[in-house]
PDB file of all heavy atoms in Angstrom:
ATOM      1  N   PHE A 222     124.603 -76.947 -86.634  1.00  0.00           N
ATOM      2  CA  PHE A 222     123.738 -76.224 -85.700  1.00  0.00           C
ATOM      3  C   PHE A 222     123.746 -76.861 -84.316  1.00  0.00           C
ATOM      4  O   PHE A 222     123.599 -76.162 -83.301  1.00  0.00           O
ATOM      5  CB  PHE A 222     122.315 -76.097 -86.227  1.00  0.00           C
ATOM      6  CG  PHE A 222     121.826 -74.677 -86.222  1.00  0.00           C
ATOM      7  CD1 PHE A 222     121.058 -74.176 -87.248  1.00  0.00           C
ATOM      8  CD2 PHE A 222     122.165 -73.805 -85.191  1.00  0.00           C
ATOM      9  CE1 PHE A 222     120.638 -72.857 -87.253  1.00  0.00           C
ATOM     10  CE2 PHE A 222     121.749 -72.484 -85.184  1.00  0.00           C
ATOM     11  CZ  PHE A 222     120.993 -72.009 -86.216  1.00  0.00           C
ATOM     12  N   GLU A 223     123.918 -78.164 -84.243  1.00  0.00           N
ATOM     13  CA  GLU A 223     124.027 -78.784 -82.927  1.00  0.00           C
ATOM     14  C   GLU A 223     125.201 -78.194 -82.151  1.00  0.00           C
ATOM     15  O   GLU A 223     125.099 -77.913 -80.950  1.00  0.00           O
ATOM     16  CB  GLU A 223     124.203 -80.296 -83.067  1.00  0.00           C
ATOM     17  CG  GLU A 223     122.915 -81.002 -83.402  1.00  0.00           C
ATOM     18  CD  GLU A 223     122.996 -82.504 -83.272  1.00  0.00           C
ATOM     19  OE1 GLU A 223     124.093 -83.056 -83.469  1.00  0.00           O
ATOM     20  OE2 GLU A 223     121.945 -83.117 -82.992  1.00  0.00           O
ATOM     21  N   GLN A 224     126.307 -77.987 -82.842  1.00  0.00           N
ATOM     22  CA  GLN A 224     127.476 -77.432 -82.168  1.00  0.00           C
ATOM     23  C   GLN A 224     127.273 -75.957 -81.825  1.00  0.00           C
ATOM     24  O   GLN A 224     127.711 -75.495 -80.767  1.00  0.00           O
ATOM     25  CB  GLN A 224     128.697 -77.617 -83.052  1.00  0.00           C
ATOM     26  CG  GLN A 224     129.072 -79.086 -83.234  1.00  0.00           C
ATOM     27  CD  GLN A 224     130.261 -79.262 -84.150  1.00  0.00           C
ATOM     28  OE1 GLN A 224     131.389 -78.981 -83.768  1.00  0.00           O
ATOM     29  NE2 GLN A 224     130.005 -79.716 -85.370  1.00  0.00           N
ATOM     30  N   LEU A 225     126.593 -75.216 -82.692  1.00  0.00           N
ATOM     31  CA  LEU A 225     126.354 -73.796 -82.407  1.00  0.00           C
ATOM     32  C   LEU A 225     125.367 -73.611 -81.258  1.00  0.00           C
ATOM     33  O   LEU A 225     125.510 -72.679 -80.456  1.00  0.00           O
ATOM     34  CB  LEU A 225     125.824 -73.096 -83.666  1.00  0.00           C
ATOM     35  CG  LEU A 225     126.818 -72.961 -84.828  1.00  0.00           C
ATOM     36  CD1 LEU A 225     126.117 -72.381 -86.054  1.00  0.00           C
ATOM     37  CD2 LEU A 225     128.020 -72.102 -84.447  1.00  0.00           C
ATOM     38  N   LEU A 226     124.363 -74.483 -81.172  1.00  0.00           N
ATOM     39  CA  LEU A 226     123.347 -74.361 -80.126  1.00  0.00           C
ATOM     40  C   LEU A 226     123.699 -75.143 -78.867  1.00  0.00           C
ATOM     41  O   LEU A 226     123.007 -75.030 -77.851  1.00  0.00           O
ATOM     42  CB  LEU A 226     121.982 -74.820 -80.659  1.00  0.00           C
ATOM     43  CG  LEU A 226     121.315 -73.896 -81.686  1.00  0.00           C
ATOM     44  CD1 LEU A 226     120.024 -74.525 -82.208  1.00  0.00           C
ATOM     45  CD2 LEU A 226     121.035 -72.511 -81.115  1.00  0.00           C
ATOM     46  N   GLY A 227     124.746 -75.953 -78.938  1.00  0.00           N
ATOM     47  CA  GLY A 227     125.243 -76.602 -77.732  1.00  0.00           C
ATOM     48  C   GLY A 227     124.509 -77.835 -77.285  1.00  0.00           C
ATOM     49  O   GLY A 227     124.464 -78.143 -76.087  1.00  0.00           O
ATOM     50  N   GLY A 228     123.916 -78.574 -78.240  1.00  0.00           N
ATOM     51  CA  GLY A 228     123.234 -79.804 -77.861  1.00  0.00           C
ATOM     52  C   GLY A 228     122.484 -80.408 -79.024  1.00  0.00           C
ATOM     53  O   GLY A 228     122.379 -79.809 -80.110  1.00  0.00           O
ATOM     54  N   GLU A 229     121.932 -81.596 -78.794  1.00  0.00           N
ATOM     55  CA  GLU A 229     121.154 -82.288 -79.823  1.00  0.00           C
ATOM     56  C   GLU A 229     120.005 -81.409 -80.305  1.00  0.00           C
ATOM     57  O   GLU A 229     119.336 -80.746 -79.513  1.00  0.00           O
ATOM     58  CB  GLU A 229     120.586 -83.598 -79.254  1.00  0.00           C
ATOM     59  CG  GLU A 229     119.732 -84.383 -80.230  1.00  0.00           C
ATOM     60  CD  GLU A 229     118.936 -85.508 -79.576  1.00  0.00           C
ATOM     61  OE1 GLU A 229     119.136 -85.753 -78.363  1.00  0.00           O
ATOM     62  OE2 GLU A 229     118.088 -86.109 -80.271  1.00  0.00           O
ATOM     63  N   VAL A 230     119.766 -81.400 -81.628  1.00  0.00           N
ATOM     64  CA  VAL A 230     118.642 -80.650 -82.191  1.00  0.00           C
ATOM     65  C   VAL A 230     117.692 -81.602 -82.913  1.00  0.00           C
ATOM     66  O   VAL A 230     118.061 -82.720 -83.269  1.00  0.00           O
ATOM     67  CB  VAL A 230     119.109 -79.544 -83.171  1.00  0.00           C
ATOM     68  CG1 VAL A 230     120.020 -78.547 -82.474  1.00  0.00           C
ATOM     69  CG2 VAL A 230     119.783 -80.133 -84.410  1.00  0.00           C
ATOM     70  N   TYR A 231     116.468 -81.138 -83.097  1.00  0.00           N
ATOM     71  CA  TYR A 231     115.539 -81.859 -83.968  1.00  0.00           C
ATOM     72  C   TYR A 231     114.953 -80.883 -84.985  1.00  0.00           C
ATOM     73  O   TYR A 231     115.032 -79.660 -84.827  1.00  0.00           O
ATOM     74  CB  TYR A 231     114.453 -82.573 -83.162  1.00  0.00           C
ATOM     75  CG  TYR A 231     113.367 -81.708 -82.565  1.00  0.00           C
ATOM     76  CD1 TYR A 231     112.151 -81.501 -83.227  1.00  0.00           C
ATOM     77  CD2 TYR A 231     113.527 -81.106 -81.308  1.00  0.00           C
ATOM     78  CE1 TYR A 231     111.140 -80.726 -82.665  1.00  0.00           C
ATOM     79  CE2 TYR A 231     112.526 -80.346 -80.740  1.00  0.00           C
ATOM     80  CZ  TYR A 231     111.333 -80.152 -81.424  1.00  0.00           C
ATOM     81  OH  TYR A 231     110.336 -79.383 -80.873  1.00  0.00           O
ATOM     82  N   HIS A 232     114.387 -81.452 -86.028  1.00  0.00           N
ATOM     83  CA  HIS A 232     113.818 -80.677 -87.133  1.00  0.00           C
ATOM     84  C   HIS A 232     112.495 -80.056 -86.682  1.00  0.00           C
ATOM     85  O   HIS A 232     111.529 -80.769 -86.378  1.00  0.00           O
ATOM     86  CB  HIS A 232     113.601 -81.610 -88.329  1.00  0.00           C
ATOM     87  CG  HIS A 232     112.958 -80.972 -89.522  1.00  0.00           C
ATOM     88  ND1 HIS A 232     111.604 -81.033 -89.758  1.00  0.00           N
ATOM     89  CD2 HIS A 232     113.492 -80.258 -90.550  1.00  0.00           C
ATOM     90  CE1 HIS A 232     111.320 -80.398 -90.894  1.00  0.00           C
ATOM     91  NE2 HIS A 232     112.453 -79.923 -91.391  1.00  0.00           N
ATOM     92  N   TYR A 233     112.457 -78.726 -86.611  1.00  0.00           N
ATOM     93  CA  TYR A 233     111.241 -78.024 -86.188  1.00  0.00           C
ATOM     94  C   TYR A 233     110.342 -77.745 -87.385  1.00  0.00           C
ATOM     95  O   TYR A 233     109.141 -77.881 -87.292  1.00  0.00           O
ATOM     96  CB  TYR A 233     111.636 -76.743 -85.461  1.00  0.00           C
ATOM     97  CG  TYR A 233     110.533 -76.098 -84.651  1.00  0.00           C
ATOM     98  CD1 TYR A 233     109.768 -76.842 -83.764  1.00  0.00           C
ATOM     99  CD2 TYR A 233     110.278 -74.736 -84.764  1.00  0.00           C
ATOM    100  CE1 TYR A 233     108.758 -76.240 -83.017  1.00  0.00           C
ATOM    101  CE2 TYR A 233     109.279 -74.131 -84.013  1.00  0.00           C
ATOM    102  CZ  TYR A 233     108.520 -74.889 -83.150  1.00  0.00           C
ATOM    103  OH  TYR A 233     107.526 -74.297 -82.405  1.00  0.00           O
ATOM    104  N   HIS A 234     110.910 -77.359 -88.477  1.00  0.00           N
ATOM    105  CA  HIS A 234     110.222 -77.297 -89.761  1.00  0.00           C
ATOM    106  C   HIS A 234     111.195 -76.847 -90.850  1.00  0.00           C
ATOM    107  O   HIS A 234     112.279 -76.347 -90.553  1.00  0.00           O
ATOM    108  CB  HIS A 234     109.000 -76.366 -89.737  1.00  0.00           C
ATOM    109  CG  HIS A 234     109.280 -74.949 -89.364  1.00  0.00           C
ATOM    110  ND1 HIS A 234     109.115 -74.469 -88.080  1.00  0.00           N
ATOM    111  CD2 HIS A 234     109.725 -73.890 -90.084  1.00  0.00           C
ATOM    112  CE1 HIS A 234     109.424 -73.191 -88.033  1.00  0.00           C
ATOM    113  NE2 HIS A 234     109.810 -72.814 -89.238  1.00  0.00           N
ATOM    114  N   SER A 235     110.787 -77.035 -92.094  1.00  0.00           N
ATOM    115  CA  SER A 235     111.514 -76.513 -93.257  1.00  0.00           C
ATOM    116  C   SER A 235     110.556 -75.689 -94.089  1.00  0.00           C
ATOM    117  O   SER A 235     109.331 -75.876 -94.018  1.00  0.00           O
ATOM    118  CB  SER A 235     112.067 -77.653 -94.130  1.00  0.00           C
ATOM    119  OG  SER A 235     113.081 -78.372 -93.488  1.00  0.00           O
ATOM    120  N   LYS A 236     111.105 -74.782 -94.870  1.00  0.00           N
ATOM    121  CA  LYS A 236     110.240 -74.017 -95.766  1.00  0.00           C
ATOM    122  C   LYS A 236     111.042 -73.457 -96.932  1.00  0.00           C
ATOM    123  O   LYS A 236     112.271 -73.345 -96.870  1.00  0.00           O
ATOM    124  CB  LYS A 236     109.524 -72.890 -95.025  1.00  0.00           C
ATOM    125  CG  LYS A 236     110.415 -71.838 -94.403  1.00  0.00           C
ATOM    126  CD  LYS A 236     109.563 -70.849 -93.602  1.00  0.00           C
ATOM    127  CE  LYS A 236     110.419 -69.865 -92.822  1.00  0.00           C
ATOM    128  NZ  LYS A 236     109.609 -68.953 -91.990  1.00  0.00           N
ATOM    129  N   VAL A 237     110.319 -73.127 -97.970  1.00  0.00           N
ATOM    130  CA  VAL A 237     110.887 -72.407 -99.105  1.00  0.00           C
ATOM    131  C   VAL A 237     110.159 -71.073 -99.194  1.00  0.00           C
ATOM    132  O   VAL A 237     108.924 -71.033 -99.257  1.00  0.00           O
ATOM    133  CB  VAL A 237     110.745 -73.195-100.419  1.00  0.00           C
ATOM    134  CG1 VAL A 237     111.272 -72.378-101.597  1.00  0.00           C
ATOM    135  CG2 VAL A 237     111.491 -74.515-100.330  1.00  0.00           C
ATOM    136  N   ILE A 238     110.922 -69.995 -99.139  1.00  0.00           N
ATOM    137  CA  ILE A 238     110.359 -68.653 -99.308  1.00  0.00           C
ATOM    138  C   ILE A 238     110.608 -68.238-100.749  1.00  0.00           C
ATOM    139  O   ILE A 238     111.751 -68.172-101.204  1.00  0.00           O
ATOM    140  CB  ILE A 238     110.993 -67.662 -98.323  1.00  0.00           C
ATOM    141  CG1 ILE A 238     110.639 -68.047 -96.879  1.00  0.00           C
ATOM    142  CG2 ILE A 238     110.528 -66.234 -98.621  1.00  0.00           C
ATOM    143  CD1 ILE A 238     111.249 -67.155 -95.824  1.00  0.00           C
ATOM    144  N   MET A 239     109.520 -67.963-101.464  1.00  0.00           N
ATOM    145  CA  MET A 239     109.578 -67.677-102.902  1.00  0.00           C
ATOM    146  C   MET A 239     109.249 -66.202-103.132  1.00  0.00           C
ATOM    147  O   MET A 239     108.093 -65.841-103.358  1.00  0.00           O
ATOM    148  CB  MET A 239     108.610 -68.594-103.648  1.00  0.00           C
ATOM    149  CG  MET A 239     109.005 -70.063-103.584  1.00  0.00           C
ATOM    150  SD  MET A 239     107.667 -71.225-104.017  1.00  0.00           S
ATOM    151  CE  MET A 239     106.879 -71.420-102.407  1.00  0.00           C
ATOM    152  N   LYS A 240     110.248 -65.378-103.031  1.00  0.00           N
ATOM    153  CA  LYS A 240     110.061 -63.944-103.228  1.00  0.00           C
ATOM    154  C   LYS A 240     110.230 -63.677-104.720  1.00  0.00           C
ATOM    155  O   LYS A 240     111.335 -63.483-105.228  1.00  0.00           O
ATOM    156  CB  LYS A 240     111.073 -63.150-102.394  1.00  0.00           C
ATOM    157  CG  LYS A 240     110.766 -61.668-102.312  1.00  0.00           C
ATOM    158  CD  LYS A 240     111.644 -60.962-101.297  1.00  0.00           C
ATOM    159  CE  LYS A 240     111.194 -61.238 -99.882  1.00  0.00           C
ATOM    160  NZ  LYS A 240     111.578 -60.165 -98.940  1.00  0.00           N
ATOM    161  N   GLU A 241     109.099 -63.680-105.428  1.00  0.00           N
ATOM    162  CA  GLU A 241     109.141 -63.624-106.895  1.00  0.00           C
ATOM    163  C   GLU A 241     109.495 -62.224-107.402  1.00  0.00           C
ATOM    164  O   GLU A 241     109.298 -61.216-106.707  1.00  0.00           O
ATOM    165  CB  GLU A 241     107.794 -64.056-107.481  1.00  0.00           C
ATOM    166  CG  GLU A 241     107.327 -65.443-107.050  1.00  0.00           C
ATOM    167  CD  GLU A 241     108.174 -66.581-107.609  1.00  0.00           C
ATOM    168  OE1 GLU A 241     109.168 -66.312-108.298  1.00  0.00           O
ATOM    169  OE2 GLU A 241     107.840 -67.752-107.328  1.00  0.00           O
ATOM    170  N   ALA A 242     110.019 -62.189-108.616  1.00  0.00           N
ATOM    171  CA  ALA A 242     110.395 -60.916-109.241  1.00  0.00           C
ATOM    172  C   ALA A 242     109.182 -59.998-109.359  1.00  0.00           C
ATOM    173  O   ALA A 242     108.087 -60.427-109.714  1.00  0.00           O
ATOM    174  CB  ALA A 242     110.985 -61.168-110.625  1.00  0.00           C
ATOM    175  N   ARG A 243     109.372 -58.748-108.985  1.00  0.00           N
ATOM    176  CA  ARG A 243     108.406 -57.648-109.146  1.00  0.00           C
ATOM    177  C   ARG A 243     107.164 -57.748-108.260  1.00  0.00           C
ATOM    178  O   ARG A 243     106.413 -56.790-108.139  1.00  0.00           O
ATOM    179  CB  ARG A 243     107.967 -57.494-110.610  1.00  0.00           C
ATOM    180  CG  ARG A 243     109.100 -57.133-111.552  1.00  0.00           C
ATOM    181  CD  ARG A 243     108.630 -56.997-112.985  1.00  0.00           C
ATOM    182  NE  ARG A 243     108.177 -58.276-113.522  1.00  0.00           N
ATOM    183  CZ  ARG A 243     108.981 -59.212-114.023  1.00  0.00           C
ATOM    184  NH1 ARG A 243     110.285 -59.012-114.043  1.00  0.00           N
ATOM    185  NH2 ARG A 243     108.497 -60.336-114.494  1.00  0.00           N
ATOM    186  N   THR A 244     106.949 -58.905-107.618  1.00  0.00           N
ATOM    187  CA  THR A 244     105.731 -59.080-106.816  1.00  0.00           C
ATOM    188  C   THR A 244     105.997 -59.550-105.390  1.00  0.00           C
ATOM    189  O   THR A 244     105.077 -59.538-104.572  1.00  0.00           O
ATOM    190  CB  THR A 244     104.780 -60.089-107.478  1.00  0.00           C
ATOM    191  OG1 THR A 244     105.442 -61.368-107.565  1.00  0.00           O
ATOM    192  CG2 THR A 244     104.380 -59.627-108.880  1.00  0.00           C
ATOM    193  N   GLY A 245     107.215 -59.965-105.086  1.00  0.00           N
ATOM    194  CA  GLY A 245     107.523 -60.541-103.779  1.00  0.00           C
ATOM    195  C   GLY A 245     107.309 -59.556-102.648  1.00  0.00           C
ATOM    196  O   GLY A 245     107.725 -58.394-102.717  1.00  0.00           O
ATOM    197  N   GLY A 246     106.654 -60.010-101.589  1.00  0.00           N
ATOM    198  CA  GLY A 246     106.339 -59.141-100.461  1.00  0.00           C
ATOM    199  C   GLY A 246     107.472 -59.023 -99.460  1.00  0.00           C
ATOM    200  O   GLY A 246     108.502 -59.696 -99.555  1.00  0.00           O
ATOM    201  N   ALA A 247     107.268 -58.151 -98.489  1.00  0.00           N
ATOM    202  CA  ALA A 247     108.252 -57.901 -97.437  1.00  0.00           C
ATOM    203  C   ALA A 247     107.957 -58.778 -96.221  1.00  0.00           C
ATOM    204  O   ALA A 247     106.829 -59.229 -96.017  1.00  0.00           O
ATOM    205  CB  ALA A 247     108.211 -56.434 -97.022  1.00  0.00           C
ATOM    206  N   HIS A 248     108.983 -59.005 -95.424  1.00  0.00           N
ATOM    207  CA  HIS A 248     108.805 -59.566 -94.088  1.00  0.00           C
ATOM    208  C   HIS A 248     109.179 -58.481 -93.087  1.00  0.00           C
ATOM    209  O   HIS A 248     110.228 -57.843 -93.200  1.00  0.00           O
ATOM    210  CB  HIS A 248     109.676 -60.808 -93.886  1.00  0.00           C
ATOM    211  CG  HIS A 248     109.135 -62.028 -94.566  1.00  0.00           C
ATOM    212  ND1 HIS A 248     109.678 -62.572 -95.696  1.00  0.00           N
ATOM    213  CD2 HIS A 248     108.059 -62.799 -94.259  1.00  0.00           C
ATOM    214  CE1 HIS A 248     108.981 -63.636 -96.067  1.00  0.00           C
ATOM    215  NE2 HIS A 248     107.990 -63.785 -95.213  1.00  0.00           N
ATOM    216  N   LEU A 249     108.312 -58.255 -92.125  1.00  0.00           N
ATOM    217  CA  LEU A 249     108.489 -57.170 -91.166  1.00  0.00           C
ATOM    218  C   LEU A 249     109.569 -57.512 -90.144  1.00  0.00           C
ATOM    219  O   LEU A 249     109.958 -58.671 -89.977  1.00  0.00           O
ATOM    220  CB  LEU A 249     107.164 -56.903 -90.455  1.00  0.00           C
ATOM    221  CG  LEU A 249     105.939 -56.693 -91.356  1.00  0.00           C
ATOM    222  CD1 LEU A 249     104.694 -56.459 -90.503  1.00  0.00           C
ATOM    223  CD2 LEU A 249     106.155 -55.533 -92.318  1.00  0.00           C
ATOM    224  N   TRP A 250     110.046 -56.490 -89.445  1.00  0.00           N
ATOM    225  CA  TRP A 250     111.013 -56.730 -88.374  1.00  0.00           C
ATOM    226  C   TRP A 250     110.422 -57.706 -87.365  1.00  0.00           C
ATOM    227  O   TRP A 250     109.318 -57.505 -86.843  1.00  0.00           O
ATOM    228  CB  TRP A 250     111.363 -55.431 -87.656  1.00  0.00           C
ATOM    229  CG  TRP A 250     112.387 -54.588 -88.339  1.00  0.00           C
ATOM    230  CD1 TRP A 250     112.220 -53.354 -88.887  1.00  0.00           C
ATOM    231  CD2 TRP A 250     113.780 -54.911 -88.512  1.00  0.00           C
ATOM    232  NE1 TRP A 250     113.406 -52.883 -89.409  1.00  0.00           N
ATOM    233  CE2 TRP A 250     114.384 -53.822 -89.188  1.00  0.00           C
ATOM    234  CE3 TRP A 250     114.574 -56.009 -88.157  1.00  0.00           C
ATOM    235  CZ2 TRP A 250     115.736 -53.799 -89.531  1.00  0.00           C
ATOM    236  CZ3 TRP A 250     115.915 -55.996 -88.508  1.00  0.00           C
ATOM    237  CH2 TRP A 250     116.491 -54.905 -89.176  1.00  0.00           C
TER     238      TRP A 250
END
């Protein structure tokens, strides 16, 4: 990602999205 964004990067955040079977919600545009 440093090469794609053209400079040093830092960690802004991490997450796990758990879209469970039969109940997982949508993310809007």
Side-chain angles (χ1 to χ4, degrees):
F222 233 141
E223 283 192 331
Q224 294 178 74
L225 292 174
L226 289 176
E229 179 193 354
V230 300
Y231 74 95
H232 177 265
Y233 195 49
H234 58 263
S235 292
K236 62 185 173 183
V237 177
I238 295 178
M239 294 163 273
K240 192 170 284 206
E241 304 292 3
R243 297 180 294 278
T244 61
H248 284 107
L249 309 179
W250 279 114

